[in-house]
Amino acid sequence: LPALPAGVTEKVETIWARELERNPNLKAGPLLAARSVEAVAGERRLRLLCGVSNYKNFMGTTHEEVAPAIAEEHRHRATGFLAVTFTADDCFLLGVRSPKIDWGNLRHVVPAGRLRPDEKDPFTGIRAEYREELGLEASEIRGLACVGVVADQTWGRLNYEFCFRAWTTLTAREVIKRAKAAKSADEHCQLEPFPWSEDFVRELLLADP
């Protein structure tokens, strides 16, 4: 990606310093900034174009105080992905977001992440999240499918969010036990299983927007 203008860099540094005061655990690690995503004509494929960036530039250039005042080409929008996971005993799992994380504190969330330069596509990324957040290996995930791409306007941060669904061969209790020993176990205060129902999920997620 082209270097950010000096004025934009200054704004990014200001936002980063403020966020570090609130959450010293933040790291300016590498990620892929989405430039465009489009359907391939006549095929069931999406073409995603990215550039190499980092978490600091992503957080700073898409911040609500900065993004409206800078050119679109300087906004480093991350490529996000999430997955709704159904267990062998017909539940789906939601985690309660840890206060240690920089956004979504104490909200219900599903396994999710952002695409890094060492991950070739969102499918690779979500499989890595399954392993890091829930301790699930690829052999324990069935029917992984991308069901859509949305523009997530939360904080103006995750512009492209690839949404997946999948089934695991484990029960909810087995997944929760496995997740306690996962690499990123501290991202959630706890995991909670719920019986699947579209109406129930809608009411749950809209209860505290």
Side-chain angles (χ1 to χ4, degrees):
L1 297 177
L4 295 173
V8 176
T9 299
E10 184 178 342
K11 290 182 173 67
V12 168
E13 292 294 340
T14 299
I15 295 297
W16 186 248
R18 187 194 309 169
E19 293 293 336
L20 276 177
E21 284 185 13
R22 191 176 64 84
N23 182 2
N25 296 316
L26 287 177
K27 292 180 175 59
L31 55 72
L32 291 179
R35 309 311 286 170
S36 66
V37 61
E38 61 184 2
V40 179
E43 299 183 35
R44 295 175 56 83
R45 292 195 299 137
L46 292 170
R47 179 179 293 114
L48 172 67
L49 181 65
C50 295
V52 178
S53 182
N54 58 62
Y55 194 83
K56 180 197 290 189
N57 285 344
F58 153 60
M59 177 173 276
T61 62
T62 60
H63 194 278
E64 57 190 7
E65 296 177 15
V66 177
I70 66 176
E72 174 67 31
E73 65 190 71
H74 300 316
R75 297 175 190 168
H76 290 199
R77 304 181 187 274
T79 303
F81 39 77
L82 59 84
V84 176
T85 308
F86 302 97
T87 62
D89 48 348
D90 297 323
C91 291
F92 75 102
L93 292 169
L94 292 177
V96 179
R97 194 79 161 161
S98 169
K100 297 179 182 179
I101 308 302
D102 66 306
W103 65 278
N105 299 345
L106 300 180
R107 294 297 305 273
H108 281 99
V109 295
V110 293
R114 303 180 184 93
L115 201 61
R116 302 189 304 263
D118 61 331
E119 296 167 338
K120 60 184 291 187
D121 55 47
F123 281 87
T124 307
I126 196 62
R127 289 189 180 100
E129 288 301 317
Y130 270 126
R131 186 170 57 253
E132 293 177 9
E133 290 192 23
L134 300 182
L136 298 180
E137 299 299 331
S139 60
E140 296 168 324
I141 299 296
R142 305 277 176 82
L144 180 66
C146 179
V147 296
V149 183
V150 299
D152 185 347
Q153 299 301 321
T154 305
W155 287 15
R157 295 244 168 115
L158 300 177
N159 191 55
Y160 295 116
E161 188 85 14
F162 286 73
C163 303
F164 291 88
R165 71 165 181 227
W167 286 260
T168 176
T169 56
L170 305 184
T171 65
R173 184 184 294 270
E174 289 171 331
V175 175
I176 291 171
K177 182 178 180 180
R178 184 80 64 82
K180 290 179 180 178
K183 176 182 177 182
S184 300
D186 61 348
E187 289 193 17
H188 304 118
C189 301
Q190 62 190 39
L191 287 173
E192 299 176 352
F194 295 92
W196 172 256
S197 159
E198 289 188 8
D199 290 337
F200 172 76
V201 174
R202 185 178 297 110
E203 292 304 314
L204 175 69
L205 297 180
L206 295 179
D208 182 21

